[in-house]
Amino acid sequence: MIDKRVATIAEAMAGIPDGATVLVGGFGAVGQPNALIDGLIEQGAGGLTIVANNAGVGHVGLARLMELGRVRKIVCSFPRSSDSSVFEGLYRAGKIELEIVPQGTMAERMRAAGAGVPAFFTATAVGTKLAQGKETREIDGRTYVLECALPGDVALVEAWEADRWGNLTFRQSGRNFNPVMAMAGKTTVVQTQHLVELGELDPERVVTPGIFVDRVLHVPYGDPTGF
Amino acid sequence: MIDKRVATIAEAMAGIPDGATVLVGGFGAVGQPNALIDGLIEQGAGGLTIVANNAGVGHVGLARLMELGRVRKIVCSFPRSSDSSVFEGLYRAGKIELEIVPQGTMAERMRAAGAGVPAFFTATAVGTKLAQGKETREIDGRTYVLECALPGDVALVEAWEADRWGNLTFRQSGRNFNPVMAMAGKTTVVQTQHLVELGELDPERVVTPGIFVDRVLHVPYGDPTGF
Amino acid sequence: MTDTVATMTPLSRTQMAQRLAHDIPEGWYVNLGIGMPTQVADCVPAGREVIFHSENGVLGMGPAPAKDAVEPWMINAGKQYVTLVKGGAYVHHADSFAMIRGGHLDLCVLGAFEVAENGDIANWATSENDTAPAVGGAMDLAAGAKRLWVMMDHTTKDGRPKLVKRCSYPLTALGAVRRVYTNLAVLDVTPNGFAVVEMCPGLSFAELQARTEAELHKAG
Amino acid sequence: MTDTVATMTPLSRTQMAQRLAHDIPEGWYVNLGIGMPTQVADCVPAGREVIFHSENGVLGMGPAPAKDAVEPWMINAGKQYVTLVKGGAYVHHADSFAMIRGGHLDLCVLGAFEVAENGDIANWATSENDTAPAVGGAMDLAAGAKRLWVMMDHTTKDGRPKLVKRCSYPLTALGAVRRVYTNLAVLDVTPNGFAVVEMCPGLSFAELQARTEAELHKAG
């Protein structure tokens, strides 16, 4: 029987090595896999590259992971938020590397990684400092910049419902980066609000089919709070 | 009030010019927009480029359009089928141009067109005659071929349900190329089995949001038959 | 330049939003940037259907919910609570940005630090030395939408012009802006530079020019 | 070379399918090519969960339906009626091929005209002069799946070897084949060429070599 469910956060985090690239889903607090991020803090891997839309808030979650010195580099579109002081302090001190990526380019680069596209052209960022040093090409009279795929060794994803094959649904705007990161992660770990029986999910309504998922942990924490 | 519904096949086909590139959904008979293809036959545009998985069967639909001399070129992955004699005759006679594209490259090229990606690298077809003359590049030790976007002036799509904003669902394997072509068509015309009120479609279950759709024609024809 | 002209009152933010909303036709798909542009959604004339998009995968965004009806899973790109209208749909981030980058949005409205007479926009980093600026979806929106309109005050708080010959801040996109709605005027970006479409009542062309670095033209 | 060896009976197609299915571990995501490989799905040992993918957007494809239970909207890539198993899902063509091209399928099984000792496969066009051959998803599958196994007769109907030094037919993919299941043997493609893993009972290595153009090796 295929059973991707794991019983403990330790199993969910097993094998994440030092130096791994970890994709972290969510947009603000919505759809953010908080239990898995805490699990990663507990697990101990360091020298990580984190790919997430934001660079952490307050002193919890991603900010805590950074504060513990476990993040070598962060790839994100929006490093600043209401309280991103941990990131900013580390960054000013030269203790963390930053790659700013336009949000859509970031999503597309991960989708490309999941779809077997190692590089693609895009009009986003042409002529700006985020395209500096990158190859450009004129195609049909418009200039484009070449962007490469952004795969993860691990993707941490939050779902609303999951079954033992790893089929996922999401809740409202909690979908955001999660399905894209699930595609791009070599090992995709999911925390889900609801575990359902195989066959309970309408096959027309599955957003992330189980082929993109490796481990499923049941974390019925309720509603997101704060941003 | 936004209302993309049209009452007649003539309205659905309005403005398709000679020389247009027309994307035609469906895989075999399933999800194939037969009423719209017949409408295109009736409408009269010629010199068309047709993008579809197959090159027509028997003497109806796409085969009929070709037989009438209205197709200049066909782009497809599988030109041969149980009865593709119309295409084969025209092709042998040098009266139709053929571009064979691997099925996944075809889908990805249309998705790219819809997503603002003018060109992308792929491993598919590397070293084969379908990559002849195309730019290749080694990335991280593997060779890839550069493929360009495949946009349509028009996309003809079949849906299961649609509302007046053009939100669409599909039925089982009738989904196939339809959502991808809806993204890639400059004007996307939909025939739908069911017309529903705005708000009736579960927002979590919409597959093609209305932003990709321009016209909706109600064609409750029932089940697909034949291949 | 910061002296108030006696007979002229600049538009309030709400008036600017109303003015801009007036120009959005029924049926357009529109993304409103974080900050000032967000208010445009509330100003669309009653009965006119305009469909709002948010980068985080919401198409058909509705107004903010009543305080006791907040849905904690439903935020916009500015991380404010929002609602979904009838006919709305959820998509993931790559599909959401396919709408933006694939040219499917009829309009994007962004705020800006500067707009240049050639349509360049700078709205994401306040200086070349800002080492960790937050770009979000601004570059995708500016490069991807069918039209980019900018909504901003005509000058900075200390009176420096924001409609300039060439942007001095780091660029968001080249030649992308089509139209600018300020608290003083509506201006089109044309091959000849800024063309004044409309001015705040009581403001003269010369007074507007005095508050603008780039040379202004009268709209044909 | 087409003489039958008295003591040897080549595997039937069903036996070939059973032999191959035996080697698919539980939990693999598998795409079976049109034709001979399709039969593998019916031969997976009872109780072993293997998830079958079909290019036209079906993940979790089940067996053919009973004649009176055909669902006309439910076909596979070979345009045969199929069913969906519990836990299956539908996706569109780009997502379906993202599974293939993104390396998410554990296995693809294809038929072939020829397999070369360097792993090249030719399975889509019968000659360079075939001007309108049908490629379908073969090139995507051959290049994209984690592993490609080929299932085919060891020789053509008129006895010509199909395991060759270099393919003479137009290629589907370079160096993609990992293993070949024929009616006579199971062979791995190794850096040294074909290594014989298993032979049909009663067949000698020399007899197998006689039916094979490429040089055979014994599997270490």
Side-chain angles (χ1 to χ4, degrees), chain A residues 1-2 4 111 113-116 163-165 167 183 198-199 203-204 206 209-212, chain D residues 26-27 29 47 49 51 59 84-91 94 98-99 101-102 104-105:
Chain A
M1 192 175 93
I2 299 170
K4 299 180 180 177
R111 191 261 170 203
D163 61 28
R164 67 176 169 86
W165 281 10
N167 292 304
M183 287 177 73
L198 200 68
E204 305 279 10
V206 169
I211 192 170
F212 298 123
Chain D
E26 178 155 271
Y29 290 88
E49 280 189 349
I51 298 174
L59 184 67
L84 191 78
V85 299
K86 262 190 195 183
Y90 303 108
V91 295
M99 295 175 188
R101 296 154 63 102
H104 304 282
L105 290 178

Side-chain angles (χ1 to χ4, degrees), chain A residues 1-224:
Chain A
M1 192 175 93
I2 299 170
D3 193 353
K4 299 180 180 177
R5 292 171 298 182
V6 294
T8 66
I9 185 72
E11 283 175 81
M13 292 295 118
I16 301 178
D18 288 348
T21 294
V22 183
L23 316 179
V24 182
F27 187 86
V30 179
Q32 189 172 270
N34 290 315
L36 301 181
I37 299 169
D38 288 346
L40 185 58
I41 292 171
E42 192 66 25
Q43 191 258 9
L48 301 170
T49 294
I50 296 290
V51 181
N53 193 57
N54 298 77
V57 176
H59 293 265
V60 297
L62 288 182
R64 178 78 184 137
L65 192 68
M66 286 186 270
E67 200 163 30
L68 292 169
R70 306 259 297 282
V71 181
R72 188 184 66 77
K73 179 180 178 182
I74 183 147
V75 180
C76 69
S77 85
F78 214 86
R80 291 210 176 129
S81 56
S82 49
D83 179 11
S84 49
S85 60
V86 169
F87 161 75
E88 287 174 46
L90 288 166
Y91 187 70
R92 272 194 304 268
K95 290 184 172 164
I96 196 165
E97 195 181 327
L98 171 68
E99 181 181 345
I100 301 176
V101 185
Q103 199 172 133
T105 296
M106 196 170 116
E108 188 70 16
R109 285 176 62 193
M110 288 189 281
R111 191 261 170 203
V117 170
F120 60 90
F121 286 98
T122 176
T124 295
V126 167
T128 75
K129 66 188 225 181
L130 295 191
Q132 271 168 23
K134 292 183 178 170
E135 176 178 338
T136 59
R137 183 181 297 206
E138 195 175 311
I139 301 174
D140 292 336
R142 189 169 186 189
T143 305
Y144 297 90
V145 60
L146 187 67
E147 295 282 358
C148 60
L150 181 56
D153 297 302
V154 181
L156 306 183
V157 158
E158 187 191 36
W160 182 246
E161 299 163 294
D163 61 28
R164 67 176 169 86
W165 281 10
N167 292 304
L168 308 180
T169 69
F170 302 90
R171 183 165 173 83
Q172 300 178 342
S173 76
R175 192 180 298 198
N176 58 63
F177 279 104
N178 284 304
V180 183
M181 290 178 169
M183 287 177 73
K186 196 171 168 189
T187 298
T188 292
V189 185
V190 175
Q191 69 168 77
T192 182
Q193 295 266 355
H194 302 281
L195 260 181
V196 303
E197 291 300 312
L198 200 68
E200 254 184 76
L201 296 178
D202 177 354
E204 305 279 10
R205 208 169 57 87
V206 169
V207 173
T208 294
I211 192 170
F212 298 123
V213 171
D214 298 281
R215 302 173 193 166
V216 174
L217 182 70
H218 188 200
V219 183
Y221 72 85
D223 289 333

Side-chain angles (χ1 to χ4, degrees), chain B residues 1-2 4 111 113-117 163-165 167 183 185 198-199 201 203-204 206 209-213, chain C residues 26-27 29 47 49-51 59-60 84-91 94-95 97-99 101-102 104-105:
Chain B
M1 192 175 95
I2 300 170
K4 299 181 180 176
R111 192 261 171 203
V117 171
D163 62 27
R164 68 177 168 85
W165 281 11
N167 291 305
M183 287 177 74
L198 199 68
L201 297 177
E204 305 278 11
V206 168
I211 193 170
F212 298 122
V213 171
Chain C
E26 178 155 271
Y29 291 87
E49 280 189 348
V50 171
I51 298 174
L59 185 66
L84 191 77
V85 299
K86 264 192 192 181
Y90 303 108
V91 296
D95 281 349
F97 277 87
M99 294 175 189
R101 295 154 63 101
H104 304 282
L105 289 178

Side-chain angles (χ1 to χ4, degrees), chain B:
Chain B
M1 192 175 95
I2 300 170
D3 193 352
K4 299 181 180 176
R5 292 171 297 181
V6 293
T8 66
I9 184 73
E11 283 174 82
M13 293 295 119
I16 301 178
D18 288 348
T21 294
V22 183
L23 317 178
V24 182
F27 187 86
V30 179
Q32 189 171 270
N34 290 315
L36 300 182
I37 299 168
D38 288 345
L40 185 58
I41 291 171
E42 191 66 24
Q43 191 258 11
L48 301 170
T49 294
I50 297 290
V51 181
N53 193 56
N54 298 78
V57 177
H59 294 265
V60 296
L62 287 183
R64 177 78 184 137
L65 193 67
M66 286 186 271
E67 200 164 30
L68 292 169
R70 306 260 295 282
V71 181
R72 188 185 67 78
K73 179 180 176 181
I74 185 148
V75 180
C76 69
S77 85
F78 214 87
R80 290 209 176 128
S81 56
S82 50
D83 179 10
S84 49
S85 60
V86 168
F87 162 75
E88 288 175 47
L90 288 167
Y91 187 70
R92 273 194 303 269
K95 290 185 173 163
I96 197 166
E97 195 182 328
L98 171 67
E99 181 182 345
I100 302 176
V101 185
Q103 199 173 132
T105 296
M106 196 169 116
E108 188 70 15
R109 286 176 62 193
M110 288 188 281
R111 192 261 171 203
V117 171
F120 59 91
F121 286 99
T122 175
T124 295
V126 166
T128 75
K129 66 188 225 181
L130 295 191
Q132 271 169 22
K134 291 182 179 170
E135 178 178 338
T136 58
R137 183 181 298 204
E138 195 176 310
I139 301 173
D140 292 336
R142 189 169 187 189
T143 305
Y144 297 90
V145 60
L146 187 68
E147 295 281 358
C148 59
L150 180 55
D153 297 301
V154 181
L156 306 183
V157 158
E158 187 189 36
W160 182 245
E161 299 162 296
D163 62 27
R164 68 177 168 85
W165 281 11
N167 291 305
L168 308 181
T169 69
F170 301 90
R171 185 167 171 79
Q172 299 177 340
S173 76
R175 191 179 299 199
N176 57 63
F177 279 104
N178 285 303
V180 182
M181 290 179 170
M183 287 177 74
K186 195 171 168 190
T187 298
T188 292
V189 185
V190 175
Q191 69 168 78
T192 182
Q193 295 267 355
H194 302 281
L195 260 183
V196 302
E197 290 300 312
L198 199 68
E200 256 185 74
L201 297 177
D202 177 353
E204 305 278 11
R205 207 170 56 87
V206 168
V207 173
T208 294
I211 193 170
F212 298 122
V213 171
D214 299 282
R215 302 173 192 166
V216 175
L217 182 70
H218 188 202
V219 183
Y221 72 84
D223 289 332
T225 51
F227 297 113

Side-chain angles (χ1 to χ4, degrees), chain C residues 38-53:
Chain C
T38 305
Q39 211 181 329
V40 170
D42 300 327
C43 301
V44 173
R48 191 188 292 178
E49 280 189 348
V50 171
I51 298 174
F52 292 102
H53 171 268

